[in-house]
DNA sequence: GATGAATGAGTGTTCATTCAT
DNA sequence: GATGAATGAACACTCATTCAT
């Protein structure tokens, strides 16, 4: 990892734990192992580090959304196929691994959680990535499933709301609370699985 | 309001928006209208302000929990009475008004959200007040309702999980996001009402 | 002890250990057990405490000198009497007990030692009480002894210089160094005794 | 002189006059001609300046002691040579010029005198450099002289005690009292010379 | 790419002191 | 006699940043 990336990495770890303002250039440089003056070769100023992190997060998210779009716009599976095949796999595997469980994304979510109350740009991004986008993704997935006749059209809205609220709550409870340990990840996955099983299988 | 209370009030407003570390003693005193040295007559240091706020919050919460206990331990209503009488009123009126919508509590929740990642004391309090306590309160309410025969015992767990996750998600979405405006409160109440109506009435 | 005396007592203890400037009104009041504002009922300001201590010391010293004068101006003892009768007793008992070993005087000497480098008033007092006065007292004692024929007049100067330098060195080494413990007092007394024995007896 | 050395120089001058605590970083920087923040580039905090001074003093003293050892371990002069040749020259010239009269050492001794009452590290150093070391140096010098037969072995202890106490008293009287002026140095040297002359010549 | 040296503004905190009660 | 509440000035120290090398 080159110096610039190391700075961003260290900065994100610190920002997401203590907040942007509470972290000093000294703190970052001390951890990276460079002098403070060196940091200014790589970044214009402190704000520039944060902006670069946000930019990186945005393109990461754009990649995810593009990927999800490709999946949901694929021609529908044959009728009668088990409903969870596509939807649950997508939700479970893709979004969880590359988004909620991804270290970079997870730290960015924490940072947004911390900074949202006095940074409008981050507040909007926070609302979008934690509430709006996941809801819309679920909706497009279930709408597609509806075309296969698995669910009646008019029930979709509430089904999605139920799933979305459950997963959102679990996200805050397990993934945006304390350190992101293996135990918390497993607890999250277990609760998601139990919910899905009861709701759609049992 | 005396000087000490004014300091706590101003400090909480600032801490909950920008985080404890990012707020300076100068900021607080400027807003309160006292000299910095005066603040140190009322509080022994910056941390002492935070500790006093936490202490105040704890006793506030203790009051709420005691009140809830009194309600749920009242002798059960006559059979057949509409289930929402006691439960929804309690949930809607009491917990919402005196907790989520209460300005002091709301700001404390925001502060806890911000500080939880590097303050273990606040992390524990955060988990308790946003996840553990609400779930347990709902459980005791619904267990009581179950004794009146309104709900079958074995369904209670999932009903409560459903309600709890829905309300938790709404709390993060509307009450712990941006400024706590009347519009957001109304949006929150409407979504709670819609959910309750669909789930228990329709 | 009344409040005023308690303040002076505590102040002297602290001044003599950490220096006048390094001791705060807060420190003193904390130890005395009064509020800072109360101190200003008893003393005009911080400097006033120091001035009062100096004044008290001056009159203490005046008392000592008067006492010594009375002794040295008493009619001479009969010829042939052992020379140490009057001189050593005086030196040993009186000056040591009421001056060097006296807690108040000892602390004042320490205070003067600390403050002499930037307080001309205390520097003069320091020089007088540690170098000039003791030398002159010894001189008047030995001059009196000379009249009894015990010492030849012309040897007196060097005898006194010898005694004075020895006792001064011991004072700095044992009484103005570390805490004034019983051990240090005893070590001081032993060395004085050994010196006197060797010089005048052996 | 570079900035770091200038800071140490100014700090020592101020510390030795007013005491460590009574001197502010502002005072030092004002005299050196730098901003306060600059000082923290060179020293990690105020204590660090003091520690650096102590360290410098220690190595200075180590140098002196090594030098003295070399002299006293030189093969003895031929018998009958005037006793003061080596000893008095050494005492007079070397220890006085490079220790008591040396500006850095003199200021350090004053600093130690001031700080000894509440700084155990400095108290120990103070006792060593003003009482223990000089006594031992004199002892090794006179023991060497004794081998040449100038002094009887059994008289050495008291001779050294006499010299040591006399020079110690003079040090406190002339060199550690008021400003270290040429007049005081001369007065000190004259009294040393008079004492030596009377004691060993006359 | 990186650093040594510097800075002005700001940090939390303590200082001696005042004054109405 | 003593205190609660306040203050302006000073305290040691950290901040993000600059710039010549």
């Amino acid at each position: 990892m080159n110096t610039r990336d190391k700075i961003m990495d260290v900065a994100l770890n610190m920002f997401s734990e203590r907040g942007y303002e509470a972290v000093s250039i000294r703190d970052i440089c001390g951890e990276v192992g460079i002098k403070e003056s060196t940091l200014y070769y790589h970044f214009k100023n402190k704000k520039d580090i944060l902006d670069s992190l946000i930019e990186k997060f945005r393109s990461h998210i754009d990649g995810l959304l593009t990927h999800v779009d490709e999946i949901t716009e694929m021609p529908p599976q044959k009728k009668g196929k088990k409903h969870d095949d596509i939807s649950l796999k997508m939700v479970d595997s893709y979004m969880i691994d590359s988004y909620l469980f991804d270290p970079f994304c997870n730290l960015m979510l924490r940072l947004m959680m911390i900074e949202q109350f006095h940074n409008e740009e981050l507040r909007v991004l926070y609302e979008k990535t934690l509430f709006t986008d996941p809801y819309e993704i679920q909706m497009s997935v279930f709408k597609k499933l509806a075309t296969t006749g698995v669910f009646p059209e008019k029930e979709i809205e509430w089904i999605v709301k139920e799933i979305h609220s459950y997963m959102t709550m679990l996200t805050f409870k397990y993934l945006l609370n304390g350190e992101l340990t293996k135990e918390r990840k497993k607890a999250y996955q277990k609760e998601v699985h139990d919910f899905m099983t009861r709701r759609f299988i049992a």
Side-chain angles (χ1 to χ4, degrees), chain A:
Chain A
M1 207 168 12
N2 63 25
T3 302
R4 193 188 149 90
D5 289 342
K6 235 183 285 176
I7 292 170
M8 285 178 70
D9 186 56
V10 167
L12 177 54
N13 270 282
M14 291 183 165
F15 288 165
S16 65
E17 189 169 334
R18 293 148 51 192
Y20 172 76
E21 284 216 56
V23 173
S24 77
I25 296 287
R26 238 190 275 301
D27 293 331
I28 298 169
C29 293
E31 184 71 21
V32 173
I34 54 172
K35 301 290 168 188
E36 285 126 279
S37 42
T38 304
L39 185 141
Y40 288 86
Y41 177 81
H42 299 283
F43 293 92
K44 183 158 125 271
N45 51 33
K46 193 184 174 186
K47 184 68 173 14
D48 189 25
I49 308 175
L50 179 59
D51 291 339
S52 302
L53 285 168
I54 296 176
E55 191 43 44
K56 185 178 170 188
F57 181 67
R58 277 194 210 280
S59 57
H60 187 110
I61 290 295
D62 282 351
L64 289 187
L65 293 180
T66 305
H67 189 87
V68 167
D69 279 356
E70 286 167 9
I71 292 175
T72 54
E73 272 157 22
M74 270 165 31
Q77 307 286 113
K78 320 164 212 160
K79 281 211 172 187
K81 245 219 143 189
K82 268 211 169 131
H83 47 71
D84 53 312
D85 274 5
I86 176 174
S87 76
L88 297 190
K89 238 173 230 158
M90 195 227 81
V91 171
D92 270 14
S93 323
Y94 196 74
M95 287 306 285
I96 290 178
D97 283 346
S98 304
Y99 177 52
L100 296 174
F101 282 16
D102 176 71
F104 172 70
C105 284
N106 185 274
L107 293 181
M108 282 302 298
L109 288 177
R110 284 153 186 257
L111 173 54
M112 281 152 44
M113 229 173 126
I114 290 176
E115 301 296 325
Q116 57 139 329
F117 294 116
H118 64 284
N119 183 327
E120 183 61 14
E121 181 189 7
L122 284 177
R123 220 216 84 241
V124 171
L125 195 56
Y126 166 79
E127 194 165 355
K128 175 174 141 58
T129 45
L130 269 169
F131 299 100
T132 319
D133 282 356
Y135 182 78
E136 285 179 2
I137 289 172
Q138 295 279 18
M139 279 299 272
S140 62
V141 168
F142 276 79
K143 268 186 183 148
K144 181 167 186 181
L145 285 173
T147 63
T148 67
V150 182
F151 300 106
E153 273 271 6
K154 58 178 186 172
E155 274 182 28
I156 287 180
E157 190 191 338
W158 280 107
I159 290 174
V160 168
K161 281 186 174 172
E162 222 178 296
I163 296 178
H164 170 243
S165 67
Y166 209 84
M167 293 188 67
T168 302
M169 182 271 286
L170 292 178
T171 300
F172 278 104
K173 186 171 178 189
Y174 293 112
L175 308 183
L176 300 174
N177 178 353
E179 239 184 310
L180 182 62
T181 58
K182 276 182 188 167
E183 287 73 35
R184 286 185 183 273
K185 285 183 184 176
K186 272 192 186 143
Y188 174 85
Q189 276 174 317
K190 189 192 175 303
E191 289 225 39
V192 168
H193 181 260
D194 287 356
F195 172 78
M196 291 300 193
T197 307
R198 185 203 52 100
R199 186 63 182 77
F200 297 107
I201 316 282

